[in-house]
Amino acid sequence: MSINYQNVNLVMSAGFPEQFPEDHLPQIAFSGRSNVGKSSLINALLGRKSLARVSGSPGKTITANFYNIDRQYYLVDLPGYGFAKRPDSEREKWSTLMGAYFDNNPNLRLVVQLIDLKVGPTKDDDQMLSWLYETRTPYIIAATKADKLNVTDRRKNLDRLSKDQMILDGTHVIAFSALKGDGRDEILSIIERKALE
């Protein structure tokens, strides 16, 4: 079954759990720290320039954005984490929203976990990976900003990331560059397979 990526629309920016869509479309969620390149990845996957907005103030908006992809699945842009200047009240709101999203969500098929390939996993990334493991949530790693590294460093960092003890053995770890499009087709292929299975 082919997917028409011209037929995409934002149906909900949910700031509260009760705003989550109640239908049974499969969901593919995107998770990562603020400023890791989540909007750039989503726009590249969907062939758009500004469907997912790139924030000038990382971590400012705490909403889960649900994009309906050709009425076949939701792409869910989760709010970024790990932004140091966020006040405690906003961190609590993030935790509440994310807890409600991941808790007992039968429609969630896959999480695309973004990690900056140049920086490597942060403590916040490790916490998220631990949470994905504990909740038995299937995930892949999109190693973003790959174009910022030369070929040697890129290969070395990718190998180190693949062997990271927080990442389950056998997990797909894919180098991605929004600038060059590297990794786009592989990530999209996995997403479609999980969404439509």
Side-chain angles (χ1 to χ4, degrees):
M1 184 183 295
S2 62
I3 296 173
N4 176 11
Y5 284 99
Q6 297 305 306
N7 186 19
V8 174
N9 64 301
L10 174 64
V11 296
M12 175 58 66
S13 290
F16 302 95
E18 55 269 26
Q19 295 176 319
F20 294 159
E22 295 183 350
D23 58 32
H24 299 293
L25 281 182
Q27 297 177 13
I28 306 293
F30 286 68
S31 166
R33 66 177 177 80
S34 298
N35 208 26
V36 74
K38 201 147 40 70
S39 297
S40 298
L41 172 57
I42 291 170
N43 287 331
L45 290 176
L46 300 179
R48 304 293 183 90
K49 289 188 175 176
S50 60
L51 184 69
R53 296 304 171 112
V54 179
S55 175
S57 303
K60 186 176 182 182
T61 306
I62 304 176
T63 58
N65 299 317
F66 289 78
Y67 296 91
N68 187 302
I69 312 298
D70 197 27
R71 298 189 182 89
Q72 297 191 53
Y73 69 92
Y74 284 116
L75 187 157
V76 186
D77 181 7
L78 298 174
Y81 56 77
F83 193 56
K85 295 179 182 178
R86 181 178 289 169
D88 289 343
S89 61
E90 290 189 18
R91 292 181 193 181
E92 187 175 326
K93 183 179 180 185
W94 183 92
S95 293
T96 300
L97 194 68
M98 291 303 87
Y101 180 76
F102 282 102
D103 184 36
N104 194 28
N105 183 351
N107 300 317
L108 179 59
R109 301 289 173 82
L110 180 75
V111 170
V112 179
Q113 177 63 37
L114 282 72
I115 293 176
D116 188 319
L117 186 56
K118 187 175 182 180
V119 174
T122 65
K123 287 183 179 178
D124 291 311
D125 291 326
D126 285 345
Q127 281 188 326
M128 192 68 210
L129 289 165
S130 179
W131 196 6
L132 292 171
Y133 173 75
E134 289 168 10
T135 56
R136 304 283 193 273
T137 303
Y139 68 91
I140 63 172
I141 302 292
T144 61
K145 306 184 182 181
D147 52 274
K148 295 184 181 293
L149 296 164
N150 62 39
V151 174
T152 302
D153 288 340
R154 177 172 168 169
R155 189 179 298 120
K156 183 175 66 177
N157 286 18
L158 199 61
D159 185 57
R160 183 185 302 138
L161 186 57
S162 298
K163 294 175 180 174
D164 190 283
Q165 63 180 1
M166 293 302 294
I167 296 172
L168 287 173
D169 287 343
T171 298
H172 289 279
V173 179
I174 303 162
F176 174 77
S177 166
L179 189 65
K180 298 180 178 178
D182 297 349
R184 177 191 179 273
D185 291 347
E186 188 178 355
I187 293 170
L188 199 56
S189 175
I190 295 170
I191 287 172
E192 289 181 0
R193 190 167 68 247
K194 294 297 288 185
L196 303 178
E197 68 183 10

